[in-house]
Amino acid sequence: MTDIAHSTVPPVPPECKTTGVVTVPQPLITARGVNVFYGDKRALKDVSIDIANNQVLAMIGPSGCGKSTFLRCFNRMNDTIDGARVTGLLQLEGQDIYEKRQDVVQLRARIGMVFQKPNPFPKSIYDNVAYGPRIHGLAADRIELDEIVQTSLKRAGLWEEVKDRLAAPGTSLSGGQQQRLCIARTIAVNPEVILMDEPCSALDPIATARIEDLIDELRASYAIIIVTHSMQQAARVSQRTAYFHLGDLIEVGETDRIFTNPRHKLTEDYITGRFG
Ligand SMILES: Nc1ncnc2c1ncn2[C@@H]1O[C@H](COP(=O)(O)OP(=O)(O)OP(=O)(O)O)[C@@H](O)[C@H]1O
Ligand SMILES: [Mg+2]
């Protein structure tokens, strides 16, 4: 991020309900006063947060508190939902994510997303990973494309399992392998940020552990935002945790601090299982 871009980042609005540390040095993404409405219903309320590079941010909170809604703001996936409206400011490296001229396809390459249910395309393993680099013109020829596919599958920890069956359908893989394929597909276009919405909820503990190890490796190269219902997972994989409640960002801070010394009673009730 340039100094100029950094200097244009606005301060956290005083009405923001967030407590604790919200700013980080040199944030990759800043959100300020973000609201999301579905028709008349306000699902997210004045949320302000910074996203740092090379860090995992976990977003936790009870069902319906707005985690997925907020995650979808970062790469404008809410644009695809009828009646959804986003207000406030979201910037990626100082650039307004919601600017009219913003090319949404480019944006989603820079801010990739992995969903709860693995969703490989109905194509071969190779073509799943090659899809993005092809549409973005990232490879000059087949040799370069092969390299990108191989590197992405290696980084996603899947290469050894699929190298002899690249022409097989992506859907022929196990659930955990499919999720790693989806991660390979996401990283094949060189994103800066990876959004993950409960990426392990359809996986068994062994596949989950593999994805968690992978998240830890990937953070060396990317900013990662993960929504999870598992407090253990948030504690294992993230460096910062944000707790949401009924559309409010209640508290955000270092993961260790949030889990050992939450500042807000709502956070404490949730992490100690007293919520509800
Ligand atoms: N497409 C939609 N249309 C209308 N309302 C929606 C839509 N998606 C979400 N909502 C509402 O917005 C609020 C936040 O939902 P969201 O899915 O973001 O919660 P969440 O924290 O991800 O929950 P969960 O943990 O169950 O996935 C809820 O009240 C939900 O009913
Ligand atoms: Mg959700």
Side-chain angles (χ1 to χ4, degrees), residues 38 41 43 61-70 72 81 198 229:
Y38 295 110
K41 186 187 151 65
S63 186
C65 68
K67 303 177 299 292
S68 297
T69 296
F70 189 41
R72 287 195 297 264
I81 297 176
E198 301 183 47
H229 275 280

Side-chain angles (χ1 to χ4, degrees), residues 61-217:
S63 186
C65 68
K67 303 177 299 292
S68 297
T69 296
F70 189 41
L71 197 69
R72 287 195 297 264
C73 289
F74 293 109
N75 67 347
R76 291 184 53 171
M77 290 296 281
N78 288 317
D79 288 13
T80 63
I81 297 176
D82 268 353
R85 189 163 57 89
V86 178
T87 67
L89 184 71
L90 282 132
Q91 292 181 327
L92 172 60
E93 294 189 299
Q95 223 183 3
D96 185 355
I97 289 173
Y98 282 78
E99 202 174 52
K100 284 224 165 52
R101 327 177 271 211
Q102 176 70 58
D103 178 336
V104 179
V105 175
Q106 287 293 343
L107 175 72
R108 291 183 189 147
R110 294 178 71 187
I111 306 181
M113 192 158 192
V114 175
F115 297 85
Q116 182 170 4
K117 196 167 165 285
N119 58 348
F121 300 136
K123 294 171 180 289
S124 69
I125 293 168
Y126 184 97
D127 285 339
N128 261 277
V129 184
Y131 180 85
R134 276 189 180 124
I135 61 168
H136 291 285
L138 299 185
D141 52 30
R142 178 70 189 215
I143 294 168
E144 266 185 43
L145 192 59
D146 285 354
E147 260 171 36
I148 294 174
V149 169
Q150 181 169 342
T151 308
S152 305
L153 286 167
K154 278 187 176 156
R155 299 195 64 204
L158 189 60
W159 176 249
E160 288 304 320
E161 287 153 81
V162 300
K163 63 181 183 201
D164 300 322
R165 52 193 280 214
L166 293 175
T171 49
S172 66
L173 298 171
S174 75
Q177 289 173 328
Q178 286 187 27
Q179 199 61 306
R180 278 179 280 143
L181 179 63
C182 293
I183 292 171
R185 183 177 70 187
T186 301
I187 60 184
V189 291
N190 301 322
E192 287 156 73
V193 183
I194 305 178
L195 310 174
M196 298 182 160
D197 198 348
E198 301 183 47
C200 302
S201 64
L203 306 181
D204 71 17
I206 293 168
T208 296
R210 288 211 62 164
I211 301 279
E212 288 183 1
D213 287 347
L214 183 57
I215 290 171
D216 200 47
E217 282 163 36

Side-chain angles (χ1 to χ4, degrees), residues 212 228-238 259:
E212 288 183 1
T228 177
H229 275 280
S230 159
M231 244 93 63
Q232 290 83 356
Q233 179 165 75
R236 282 193 299 261
V237 303
S238 74
F259 282 101

